[in-house]
Amino acid sequence: MRHSVKAALTAALSLSLLSTAAAQTSRQSTLVIGGDFSDLITMDPGVSYEFSGSLVTGNLYDTLVAYEGNNLTTLKPRLASSWTVTPTATGSRLTFKLRDAKFSTGRPVTAADVVYSVNRVINLKTPSSFLYTDVANLKVGSVTAPDAKTVVMDIPKTANPNIVLALLTFNIGGVIDSTEAKAHETNGDYGTAWLKDHSAGSGPFKLNRWDRSAQVALDVNPNAFRRSPTIKRVILRYMLESSAQQAAANSGEIDVAMNYTPDAFKAVAAGTKFKTQKADSFLLAYLGMNSAKGMPFEDARVREAVRYAIDQDGIISGLLQGLGRKTQTIIPIGLAGSDPKIYYPYNPDKAKELLKAAGKPDGFSVDFMVSTGSCAGGVPCADLAAKIQADLAKVGIKLNIKQMVNSELLTAYRAQKAPLIQVSWSPDYPDADGNGTPLSDFNAKSLAWRNSWQNASASKLAQSAAIETDAARRLNLYKQLTALMVKDGPFAILYQPSRPIVIQQGVSGFNQNANGDVQFEKISKK
């Protein structure tokens, strides 16, 4: 009897120890990230065009070529083990040789999957389709598969092969398992409804589930050629408020926090409990001014008045506490073509003069669309909006703040329904054209289009700069373009932020580059 009791107690203790060990192993193999992921709209790499979408799809799908870590100037092999660029009579030919790789489904990655993935983006006319149709000047039939391991991409003289290679690193370059997508196709949608919350890629992780407004769970892809040695699951937990992230980090609930407020980040950076990263970015926080006919921003003088009325220095020193740099043109610091000139110093009196000249001496009222979460640099969007509201009120412009979650905000913006909006933009690939075309060329159906701003000279300069291969001539074109945009464009650049990231001491290998990418497979915990 006593022996039986002792044996039972021993067995119970052993199970308890095993359970504790299993729990510890599970904690060490699960990475939990807290942040504002409210901009997530879809997990489909051909449709996703949001910051959080890029973060997730970059780990679910592989591209032909990629940038590794903080080196955003040298392309590295990904699905393509090698590639060549050769001139043709009509332009250039890119030839890719594929490595042996498998999708999470277990099927091999073939050249036919690459062709399908490109053609579906072109046919779907997604928010990022312009990268293929207007920047790379591709059409259905431009990409072919001579055999299962070879992809040929023919581009015309109107496209720059170097830029085409760079844009292939973005979401749309993610290669989809065509068999899986076709199996879930509904009414000719190329599987977009299913791929919205499922995955069919060859990346290091696969989508487990997406609980909207709560969390995204990724599981390791056992078939991936670039695998995580220790992290088996990544959870992105929606935490819009910095205070929630701080509490979760302090309790150990999350391993990484991505949206500390500047003052909270400053306090943590002075201590030793956490690791901190002040990550560079190509982000630009800006105001978009809808210039459609009948809108107050139709007149270029009104747009210029807004730029003079904003106290950039106050935003950077007061709200950001140094987590941002002052810039006023459309190409971010760090990319060739950026213009450091300060075109419009803070000058409310000048703003009033411009408003008077535009026939609005008493100002006007306008709806101001703002996110409910964190803005670039960790600043609560509500705080930034209040500062902009106060600045513009001094010159007679009354802003009616309308807060909404990012997904709703972006949907309205993409439908040209935002009179005035506070948002951020980062180039899809680390080249000046990643901003030049979408912000300047109305025909690209991107930011210039969203703000109903059409300028033939800007479009021509952006298109010419995109295909120019001579470095000096290209810089001169961007100098002309940035000067034109800062005077006439529909944007008021607020600042270029750094990203405040707080990391638990036991986490190694977390790195977010200036493009916003994080390679989850390189992270480990102890």
Side-chain angles (χ1 to χ4, degrees), residues 7-139:
L9 288 171
T10 302
L13 179 60
S14 296
L15 285 172
S16 177
L17 290 172
L18 285 171
S19 178
T20 301
Q24 180 63 21
T25 300
S26 177
R27 283 196 296 271
Q28 290 177 345
S29 62
T30 300
L31 181 77
V32 184
I33 302 172
D36 182 356
F37 305 117
S38 62
D39 62 333
L40 275 174
I41 295 175
T42 178
M43 302 296 176
D44 185 337
V47 181
S48 173
Y49 203 49
E50 299 74 48
F51 296 125
S52 297
S54 295
L55 179 68
V56 175
T57 59
N59 287 280
L60 298 175
Y61 295 89
D62 285 318
T63 51
L64 290 171
V65 293
Y67 294 104
E68 295 282 345
N70 292 324
N71 184 348
L72 298 176
T73 58
T74 306
L75 284 168
K76 299 289 185 181
R78 186 61 64 84
L79 282 176
S81 57
S82 64
W83 63 92
T84 58
V85 182
T86 54
T88 65
T90 57
S92 303
R93 170 169 288 182
L94 307 180
T95 304
F96 303 91
K97 292 295 181 180
L98 301 184
R99 70 164 73 239
D100 290 331
K102 288 184 178 181
F103 292 110
S104 59
T105 59
R107 299 185 186 98
V109 178
T110 70
D113 293 305
V114 179
V115 174
Y116 173 84
S117 298
V118 174
N119 287 344
R120 78 184 289 271
V121 173
I122 294 172
N123 286 324
L124 283 170
K125 297 180 174 59
T126 74
S128 51
S129 289
F130 80 93
L131 294 173
Y132 279 157
T133 58
D134 298 326
V135 179
N137 292 154
L138 297 177
K139 57 187 178 181

Side-chain angles (χ1 to χ4, degrees), residues 346-407:
Y346 178 53
N347 191 335
D349 289 337
K350 178 68 174 177
K352 290 177 181 177
E353 289 177 14
L354 286 163
L355 288 173
K356 183 178 181 180
K360 299 182 184 297
D362 300 320
F364 55 90
S365 296
V366 65
D367 286 345
F368 184 27
M369 298 175 69
V370 175
S371 170
T372 55
S374 297
C375 279
V379 177
C381 292
D383 292 355
L384 180 59
K387 169 63 174 167
I388 300 299
Q389 183 185 50
D391 284 350
L392 294 189
K394 293 175 183 176
V395 300
I397 300 175
K398 304 170 190 67
L399 304 186
N400 307 314
I401 295 176
K402 306 289 185 182
Q403 279 195 284
M404 57 190 72
V405 296
N406 269 321
S407 56

Side-chain angles (χ1 to χ4, degrees), residues 242 246 260-269 321 502:
S242 174
Q246 293 170 51
Y260 265 42
T261 57
D263 56 342
F265 180 76
K266 185 176 180 180
V268 168
Q321 296 190 34
V502 177

Side-chain angles (χ1 to χ4, degrees), residues 33-37 239-242 245-246 249 254-269 274-283 319-325 374-380 424 495-504 510-514 516 518:
I33 302 172
D36 182 356
F37 305 117
M239 291 182 172
L240 275 63
E241 300 296 332
S242 174
Q245 293 182 35
Q246 293 170 51
I254 62 174
D255 300 298
V256 180
M258 303 189 75
N259 301 105
Y260 265 42
T261 57
D263 56 342
F265 180 76
K266 185 176 180 180
V268 168
F274 300 100
K275 298 177 184 177
T276 57
Q277 287 182 10
K278 186 178 174 181
D280 289 336
S281 80
F282 293 139
L283 279 165
L319 293 179
L320 287 167
Q321 296 190 34
L323 282 172
R325 292 183 282 185
S374 297
C375 279
V379 177
S424 297
Y495 57 89
Q496 183 173 336
S498 297
R499 292 186 175 96
I501 301 171
V502 177
I503 307 166
Q504 298 284 0
F510 187 96
N511 176 68
Q512 187 168 35
N513 65 24
V518 179

Side-chain angles (χ1 to χ4, degrees), residues 276-295:
T276 57
Q277 287 182 10
K278 186 178 174 181
D280 289 336
S281 80
F282 293 139
L283 279 165
L284 291 178
Y286 72 93
L287 299 183
M289 297 174 276
N290 195 319
S291 305
K293 190 171 183 179
M295 286 285 190

Side-chain angles (χ1 to χ4, degrees), residues 219-230:
D219 287 340
V220 71
N221 173 12
N223 295 314
F225 69 87
R226 52 181 184 116
R227 296 178 191 158
S228 170
T230 59

